[in-house]
Amino acid sequence: MASIFWVEDQLHWIQKFSSVLEQGDFDGRTNQLDVYRFAEAAKQQIALRDPASPPDVVLLDARMNGNDQAGFSVSNALHKKWPDVPIIYLSEYSGT
């Protein structure tokens, strides 16, 4: 089982990919997927989690709710708590 910490503000992406991430076969067991839609909620959860139990991977939206710095503030909190946690940055840009 992989522990996946996902920070994403767009509900349509959460709905589209949650089942894929939960059922991905890393070791034959269902993965633990923790999803947070707001940077502040994610940062609070990071502060509460056990320092000895980092997630296996973090999926992080770089820009949330129109704030270019939201994802990076979560990244800073993650790196302070778990310096070696792998982070995959995701972002949707729909401007021209």
Side-chain angles (χ1 to χ4, degrees), residues 9-26:
D9 64 330
Q10 298 294 321
L11 186 58
H12 65 275
W13 292 125
I14 295 168
Q15 291 171 335
K16 187 170 189 166
F17 291 109
S18 286
S19 64
V20 172
L21 292 169
E22 288 171 337
Q23 296 172 11
D25 190 3
F26 294 103

mmCIF file of all heavy atoms in Angstrom, residues 9-26:
data_model
loop_
_atom_site.group_PDB
_atom_site.id
_atom_site.type_symbol
_atom_site.label_atom_id
_atom_site.label_comp_id
_atom_site.label_asym_id
_atom_site.label_seq_id
_atom_site.Cartn_x
_atom_site.Cartn_y
_atom_site.Cartn_z
ATOM 1 N N ASP A 9 -7.125 21.708 -5.720
ATOM 2 C CA ASP A 9 -8.323 22.502 -5.457
ATOM 3 C C ASP A 9 -9.458 22.264 -6.453
ATOM 4 O O ASP A 9 -10.598 22.612 -6.185
ATOM 5 C CB ASP A 9 -7.986 23.998 -5.414
ATOM 6 C CG ASP A 9 -7.490 24.537 -6.746
ATOM 7 O OD1 ASP A 9 -6.879 23.761 -7.515
ATOM 8 O OD2 ASP A 9 -7.693 25.727 -7.018
ATOM 9 N N GLN A 10 -9.185 21.634 -7.568
ATOM 10 C CA GLN A 10 -10.201 21.428 -8.595
ATOM 11 C C GLN A 10 -10.900 20.081 -8.406
ATOM 12 O O GLN A 10 -10.295 19.021 -8.597
ATOM 13 C CB GLN A 10 -9.579 21.502 -9.990
ATOM 14 C CG GLN A 10 -8.968 22.845 -10.311
ATOM 15 C CD GLN A 10 -10.018 23.941 -10.395
ATOM 16 O OE1 GLN A 10 -11.112 23.733 -10.899
ATOM 17 N NE2 GLN A 10 -9.677 25.104 -9.864
ATOM 18 N N LEU A 11 -12.172 20.128 -8.061
ATOM 19 C CA LEU A 11 -12.936 18.923 -7.766
ATOM 20 C C LEU A 11 -12.990 17.958 -8.952
ATOM 21 O O LEU A 11 -12.950 16.749 -8.771
ATOM 22 C CB LEU A 11 -14.348 19.300 -7.311
ATOM 23 C CG LEU A 11 -15.228 18.154 -6.820
ATOM 24 C CD1 LEU A 11 -14.575 17.427 -5.656
ATOM 25 C CD2 LEU A 11 -16.596 18.672 -6.431
ATOM 26 N N HIS A 12 -13.053 18.493 -10.184
ATOM 27 C CA HIS A 12 -13.142 17.588 -11.332
ATOM 28 C C HIS A 12 -11.905 16.710 -11.469
ATOM 29 O O HIS A 12 -11.991 15.558 -11.882
ATOM 30 C CB HIS A 12 -13.445 18.349 -12.632
ATOM 31 C CG HIS A 12 -12.376 19.297 -13.074
ATOM 32 N ND1 HIS A 12 -12.300 20.590 -12.597
ATOM 33 C CD2 HIS A 12 -11.350 19.145 -13.938
ATOM 34 C CE1 HIS A 12 -11.264 21.198 -13.158
ATOM 35 N NE2 HIS A 12 -10.673 20.349 -13.968
ATOM 36 N N TRP A 13 -10.721 17.201 -11.101
ATOM 37 C CA TRP A 13 -9.514 16.367 -11.157
ATOM 38 C C TRP A 13 -9.544 15.322 -10.054
ATOM 39 O O TRP A 13 -9.129 14.169 -10.260
ATOM 40 C CB TRP A 13 -8.247 17.212 -11.040
ATOM 41 C CG TRP A 13 -8.003 18.093 -12.213
ATOM 42 C CD1 TRP A 13 -7.817 19.446 -12.183
ATOM 43 C CD2 TRP A 13 -7.911 17.710 -13.593
ATOM 44 N NE1 TRP A 13 -7.625 19.916 -13.463
ATOM 45 C CE2 TRP A 13 -7.682 18.876 -14.344
ATOM 46 C CE3 TRP A 13 -8.018 16.506 -14.263
ATOM 47 C CZ2 TRP A 13 -7.546 18.865 -15.729
ATOM 48 C CZ3 TRP A 13 -7.895 16.491 -15.651
ATOM 49 C CH2 TRP A 13 -7.651 17.662 -16.350
ATOM 50 N N ILE A 14 -10.030 15.709 -8.893
ATOM 51 C CA ILE A 14 -10.134 14.763 -7.783
ATOM 52 C C ILE A 14 -11.077 13.625 -8.152
ATOM 53 O O ILE A 14 -10.766 12.449 -7.958
ATOM 54 C CB ILE A 14 -10.591 15.487 -6.499
ATOM 55 C CG1 ILE A 14 -9.521 16.499 -6.057
ATOM 56 C CG2 ILE A 14 -10.883 14.480 -5.386
ATOM 57 C CD1 ILE A 14 -9.982 17.457 -4.980
ATOM 58 N N GLN A 15 -12.229 13.987 -8.700
ATOM 59 C CA GLN A 15 -13.213 12.972 -9.092
ATOM 60 C C GLN A 15 -12.670 12.071 -10.200
ATOM 61 O O GLN A 15 -12.919 10.868 -10.208
ATOM 62 C CB GLN A 15 -14.516 13.641 -9.541
ATOM 63 C CG GLN A 15 -15.255 14.310 -8.405
ATOM 64 C CD GLN A 15 -16.418 15.159 -8.885
ATOM 65 O OE1 GLN A 15 -16.448 15.631 -10.013
ATOM 66 N NE2 GLN A 15 -17.370 15.376 -7.990
ATOM 67 N N LYS A 16 -11.923 12.638 -11.118
ATOM 68 C CA LYS A 16 -11.418 11.875 -12.259
ATOM 69 C C LYS A 16 -10.312 10.892 -11.875
ATOM 70 O O LYS A 16 -10.243 9.781 -12.402
ATOM 71 C CB LYS A 16 -10.908 12.842 -13.328
ATOM 72 C CG LYS A 16 -10.512 12.180 -14.608
ATOM 73 C CD LYS A 16 -10.247 13.213 -15.690
ATOM 74 C CE LYS A 16 -10.072 12.520 -17.015
ATOM 75 N NZ LYS A 16 -10.138 13.443 -18.133
ATOM 76 N N PHE A 17 -9.431 11.277 -10.959
ATOM 77 C CA PHE A 17 -8.237 10.474 -10.698
ATOM 78 C C PHE A 17 -8.184 9.777 -9.349
ATOM 79 O O PHE A 17 -7.299 8.944 -9.122
ATOM 80 C CB PHE A 17 -6.981 11.332 -10.884
ATOM 81 C CG PHE A 17 -6.751 11.717 -12.304
ATOM 82 C CD1 PHE A 17 -6.944 13.020 -12.719
ATOM 83 C CD2 PHE A 17 -6.363 10.772 -13.235
ATOM 84 C CE1 PHE A 17 -6.755 13.379 -14.049
ATOM 85 C CE2 PHE A 17 -6.163 11.117 -14.563
ATOM 86 C CZ PHE A 17 -6.359 12.432 -14.975
ATOM 87 N N SER A 18 -9.109 10.057 -8.443
ATOM 88 C CA SER A 18 -9.061 9.423 -7.117
ATOM 89 C C SER A 18 -9.082 7.904 -7.203
ATOM 90 O O SER A 18 -8.267 7.231 -6.570
ATOM 91 C CB SER A 18 -10.220 9.902 -6.239
ATOM 92 O OG SER A 18 -9.996 11.208 -5.813
ATOM 93 N N SER A 19 -9.999 7.355 -7.973
ATOM 94 C CA SER A 19 -10.098 5.890 -8.034
ATOM 95 C C SER A 19 -8.850 5.273 -8.659
ATOM 96 O O SER A 19 -8.400 4.205 -8.241
ATOM 97 C CB SER A 19 -11.355 5.460 -8.781
ATOM 98 O OG SER A 19 -11.303 5.868 -10.123
ATOM 99 N N VAL A 20 -8.274 5.946 -9.636
ATOM 100 C CA VAL A 20 -7.039 5.439 -10.267
ATOM 101 C C VAL A 20 -5.902 5.421 -9.248
ATOM 102 O O VAL A 20 -5.152 4.442 -9.151
ATOM 103 C CB VAL A 20 -6.658 6.312 -11.481
ATOM 104 C CG1 VAL A 20 -5.293 5.926 -12.018
ATOM 105 C CG2 VAL A 20 -7.712 6.230 -12.554
ATOM 106 N N LEU A 21 -5.782 6.483 -8.472
ATOM 107 C CA LEU A 21 -4.709 6.550 -7.480
ATOM 108 C C LEU A 21 -4.936 5.571 -6.335
ATOM 109 O O LEU A 21 -3.982 4.977 -5.827
ATOM 110 C CB LEU A 21 -4.588 7.979 -6.939
ATOM 111 C CG LEU A 21 -4.094 9.003 -7.956
ATOM 112 C CD1 LEU A 21 -4.261 10.413 -7.413
ATOM 113 C CD2 LEU A 21 -2.650 8.733 -8.339
ATOM 114 N N GLU A 22 -6.174 5.374 -5.936
ATOM 115 C CA GLU A 22 -6.473 4.436 -4.856
ATOM 116 C C GLU A 22 -6.226 2.986 -5.284
ATOM 117 O O GLU A 22 -5.780 2.172 -4.490
ATOM 118 C CB GLU A 22 -7.922 4.591 -4.397
ATOM 119 C CG GLU A 22 -8.164 5.861 -3.620
ATOM 120 C CD GLU A 22 -9.626 6.117 -3.353
ATOM 121 O OE1 GLU A 22 -10.496 5.604 -4.082
ATOM 122 O OE2 GLU A 22 -9.902 6.873 -2.408
ATOM 123 N N GLN A 23 -6.517 2.681 -6.529
ATOM 124 C CA GLN A 23 -6.445 1.307 -6.992
ATOM 125 C C GLN A 23 -5.140 0.962 -7.704
ATOM 126 O O GLN A 23 -4.959 -0.185 -8.113
ATOM 127 C CB GLN A 23 -7.630 1.015 -7.907
ATOM 128 C CG GLN A 23 -8.948 1.119 -7.179
ATOM 129 C CD GLN A 23 -10.139 1.023 -8.109
ATOM 130 O OE1 GLN A 23 -10.013 0.677 -9.277
ATOM 131 N NE2 GLN A 23 -11.303 1.346 -7.600
ATOM 132 N N GLY A 24 -4.255 1.928 -7.871
ATOM 133 C CA GLY A 24 -2.970 1.642 -8.502
ATOM 134 C C GLY A 24 -2.278 0.508 -7.767
ATOM 135 O O GLY A 24 -2.241 0.481 -6.543
ATOM 136 N N ASP A 25 -1.750 -0.444 -8.494
ATOM 137 C CA ASP A 25 -1.195 -1.648 -7.889
ATOM 138 C C ASP A 25 0.298 -1.486 -7.633
ATOM 139 O O ASP A 25 1.123 -1.811 -8.476
ATOM 140 C CB ASP A 25 -1.461 -2.862 -8.780
ATOM 141 C CG ASP A 25 -1.113 -4.165 -8.093
ATOM 142 O OD1 ASP A 25 -0.724 -4.134 -6.911
ATOM 143 O OD2 ASP A 25 -1.228 -5.207 -8.741
ATOM 144 N N PHE A 26 0.629 -0.988 -6.442
ATOM 145 C CA PHE A 26 2.030 -0.881 -6.063
ATOM 146 C C PHE A 26 2.493 -2.154 -5.363
ATOM 147 O O PHE A 26 3.621 -2.570 -5.501
ATOM 148 C CB PHE A 26 2.258 0.333 -5.163
ATOM 149 C CG PHE A 26 2.006 1.631 -5.875
ATOM 150 C CD1 PHE A 26 0.839 2.337 -5.667
ATOM 151 C CD2 PHE A 26 2.926 2.131 -6.775
ATOM 152 C CE1 PHE A 26 0.598 3.524 -6.336
ATOM 153 C CE2 PHE A 26 2.697 3.314 -7.450
ATOM 154 C CZ PHE A 26 1.535 4.019 -7.226
#
